[in-house]
């Protein structure tokens, strides 16, 4: 029951890990995610399951292109 509640709250979270650049599909972020919240496919790029994401930041540190960033919905995506 508490996991379901936390999953709902995470969808409304103000801070989220978001893609800010085009992914080159090296899959490093996908492999280091301890809860498998990051998924990559060649068609859609990076998809993050926010209900599963625990904001550990491993994907942020592992990405060589710095495709992901922690930010708000209003963060500047032109970087």
């Amino acid at each position: 029951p508490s996991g379901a509640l936390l999953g709902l709250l995470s969808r409304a979270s103000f801070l989220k890990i978001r893609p800010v650049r085009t992914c080159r599909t090296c899959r490093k972020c996908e492999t280091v995610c301890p809860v498998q919240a990051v998924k990559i496919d060649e068609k859609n790029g990076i998809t993050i399951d926010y209900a599963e994401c625990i904001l550990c930041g491993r994907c942020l540190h592992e990405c060589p292109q710095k495709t992901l960033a922690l930010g708000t919905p209003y963060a500047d995506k032109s970087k």
Side-chain angles (χ1 to χ4, degrees), residues 20-65:
V20 292
R21 293 186 183 85
T22 303
C23 176
R24 295 188 186 156
T25 63
C26 69
R27 299 189 182 274
K28 289 183 179 183
C29 59
E30 188 177 46
T31 59
V32 298
C33 182
V35 294
Q36 291 83 41
V38 181
K39 302 290 181 208
I40 299 175
D41 67 51
E42 283 75 22
K43 182 179 179 185
N44 297 320
I46 298 175
T47 304
I48 299 172
D49 184 351
Y50 294 114
E52 294 295 322
C53 180
I54 59 173
L55 296 174
C56 67
R58 291 180 187 173
C59 57
L60 298 174
H61 296 291
E62 192 65 31
C63 181
Q65 289 87 31

